[in-house]
């Protein structure tokens, strides 16, 4: 059964904004990592979060939000980004509307101007999950426990020979539960690496344990370094979340406040841009509309010019 791994605490429910902030900061203080889950309905934009108010909260995500054609997909996008901004804001002691989210070319989110933390986002059906760490890199993935994988050919597409050999003797229910755990771990690991689905899942595996997992090669040989931690956890509603954290040796500094993460003048400029344009860091682009940090190009409508397949999760 999934359980906690050293360095990855049990996922936190979002609760109220005050509870969320306290829980995230406490987890970061003790383990350097926080994983937070919330329901889609709880994070849908309410009556006070529409129009200009929602635009301020979404920042540079506003243009992409407007381009999503299906209402339910648009709601899911807004809810997931609101949760991500609240969690990141809690981590750096900042208002969610001042958190400037941006994206690497593969769609991986990060907080501009604050390299003390790393974030990851996943969602499926009615569940949203956000991971944040000050240790290095983090990846999270959430799936329904009942997602049918056994008997669908998934094993040959996602498992190493070592993993398939361990799956062969078990019954169908245990086999499916194990495949879901393996899938979430592989998604989380490749997200933390910044590779997404570009890294073939048959090229690396996991030896599952009650308290987490160990990274292995295709034949089951140990492949992980001691600076990686992995864990899978059950969430309400019969969901499973996998998490991967890489400790880059950044230390455990206790002050993640934006007032120390950013120069005061830079912070004032970011907040001013957010309040006037809804695009907090738009002024940082060069004359060719290229983000100087990620090298990403922007169109005249503020939207990111990137291939459709690299948009990441919506």
């Amino acid at each position: 059964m999934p359980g906690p791994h050293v360095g990855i605490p049990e996922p936190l429910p979002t609760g109220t904004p005050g509870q969320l902030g306290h829980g995230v900061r406490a987890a970061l203080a003790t383990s350097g990592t926080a994983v937070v889950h919330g329901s889609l309905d709880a994070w849908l934009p309410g009556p006070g979060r529409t129009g200009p108010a929602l635009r301020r909260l979404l920042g540079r995500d506003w243009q992409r939000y407007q381009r999503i054609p299906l209402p339910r997909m648009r709601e899911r996008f807004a809810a997931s980004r609101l949760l991500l901004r609240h969690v990141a804001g809690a981590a750096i002691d900042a208002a969610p509307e001042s958190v400037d989210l941006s994206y690497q070319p593969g769609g991986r989110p990060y907080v501009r101007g604050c390299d003390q933390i790393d974030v990851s986002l996943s969602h499926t059906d009615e569940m949203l999950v956000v991971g944040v760490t000050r240790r290095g890199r983090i990846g999270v993935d959430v799936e329904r426990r009942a997602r049918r994988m056994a008997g669908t050919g998934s094993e040959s597409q996602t498992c190493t020979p070592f993993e398939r050999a361990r799956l062969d003797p078990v019954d169908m229910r245990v086999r499916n539960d194990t495949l879901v755990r393996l899938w979430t771990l592989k998604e989380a690991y490749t997200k933390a690496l910044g590779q997404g689905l570009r890294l073939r899942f048959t090229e690396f595996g996991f030896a599952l344990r009650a308290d987490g997992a160990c990274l292995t090669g295709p034949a089951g040989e140990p492949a992980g370094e001691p600076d990686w931690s992995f864990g899978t956890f059950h969430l309400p509603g019969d969901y499973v979340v996998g998490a991967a954290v890489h400790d880059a040796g950044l230390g455990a500094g206790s002050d993640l406040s934006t007032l120390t993460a950013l120069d005061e003048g830079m912070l004032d400029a970011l907040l001013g841009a957010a309040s006037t344009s809804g695009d907090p860091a738009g002024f940082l682009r060069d004359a060719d509309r290229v983000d100087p940090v990620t090298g990403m190009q922007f169109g005249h409508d503020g939207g990111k010019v990137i291939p459709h397949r690299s948009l990441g999760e919506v």
Side-chain angles (χ1 to χ4, degrees):
M1 180 175 181
H5 189 280
V6 175
I8 306 179
E10 287 280 346
L12 304 166
T14 54
T16 65
Q19 292 170 330
L20 173 61
H22 175 76
V24 168
R25 287 188 290 272
L28 289 173
T30 56
S31 69
T33 298
V35 178
V36 178
H37 64 89
S39 69
L40 174 62
D41 288 342
W43 285 91
L44 289 175
R49 289 181 170 181
T50 57
L54 181 59
R55 179 171 183 166
R56 283 194 299 273
L57 281 167
L58 289 181
R60 67 173 63 235
D61 281 323
W62 173 254
Q63 298 288 346
R64 183 174 167 192
Y65 167 78
Q66 287 190 306
R67 292 197 299 269
I68 298 174
L70 300 178
R72 193 58 174 171
M73 288 182 63
R74 194 160 55 243
E75 289 178 345
R76 186 184 302 278
F77 178 85
S80 62
R81 269 55 183 187
L82 290 177
L83 176 58
L84 180 54
R85 288 176 184 276
H86 275 78
V87 172
I92 61 177
D93 195 21
E97 60 269 21
S98 70
V99 174
D100 186 16
L101 289 179
S102 191
Y103 300 88
Q104 296 174 355
R108 194 174 193 276
Y110 69 97
V111 180
R112 278 179 68 100
C114 185
D115 59 4
Q116 288 94 331
I117 63 170
D118 190 50
V119 296
S120 183
L121 168 68
S122 182
H123 50 80
T124 188
D125 295 339
E126 303 302 310
M127 181 61 69
L128 312 174
V129 174
V130 170
V132 58
T133 189
R134 66 183 186 190
R135 296 291 183 183
R137 301 292 294 271
I138 188 170
V140 296
D141 183 65
V142 63
E143 301 289 344
R144 274 201 175 277
R145 184 183 178 188
R147 175 182 174 181
R148 187 183 171 209
M149 298 189 71
T152 64
S154 298
E155 294 92 333
S156 62
Q157 298 296 319
T158 63
C159 293
T160 65
F162 167 76
E163 290 169 328
R164 292 199 302 271
R166 300 188 79 179
L167 284 169
D168 285 342
V170 301
D171 63 38
M172 191 63 71
R173 182 186 62 80
V174 174
R175 187 184 188 93
N176 201 82
D177 284 352
T178 302
L179 281 167
V180 172
R181 286 186 67 191
L182 289 171
W183 179 269
T184 63
L185 285 170
K186 293 190 178 198
E187 282 267 20
Y189 178 56
T190 54
K191 283 183 178 182
L193 291 173
Q195 294 297 312
L197 294 175
R198 292 187 294 275
L199 183 61
R200 290 174 59 88
F201 282 7
T202 54
E203 295 177 354
F204 66 97
F206 288 95
L208 300 180
R209 308 181 314 210
D211 64 342
C214 295
L215 188 66
T216 70
E221 68 277 15
E225 299 294 332
D227 48 6
W228 278 98
S229 297
F230 303 97
T232 57
F233 309 87
H234 283 149
L235 300 182
D238 216 22
Y239 292 92
V240 175
V241 61
V245 175
H246 178 245
D247 190 336
L250 301 178
S254 60
D255 192 355
L256 295 176
S257 168
T258 51
L259 295 179
T260 55
L262 296 174
D263 174 81
E264 186 174 352
M266 174 66 81
L267 180 61
D268 289 342
L270 285 171
L271 295 179
S275 63
T276 58
S277 70
D279 186 7
F283 71 96
L284 291 174
R285 300 176 195 149
D286 65 15
D288 294 323
R289 306 189 68 81
V290 174
D291 186 309
V293 175
T294 65
M296 191 174 293
Q297 186 177 359
F298 291 77
H300 291 288
D301 64 351
K304 291 173 277 296
V305 181
I306 53 179
H308 175 72
R309 287 181 60 82
S310 61
L311 285 174
E313 290 189 287
V314 298

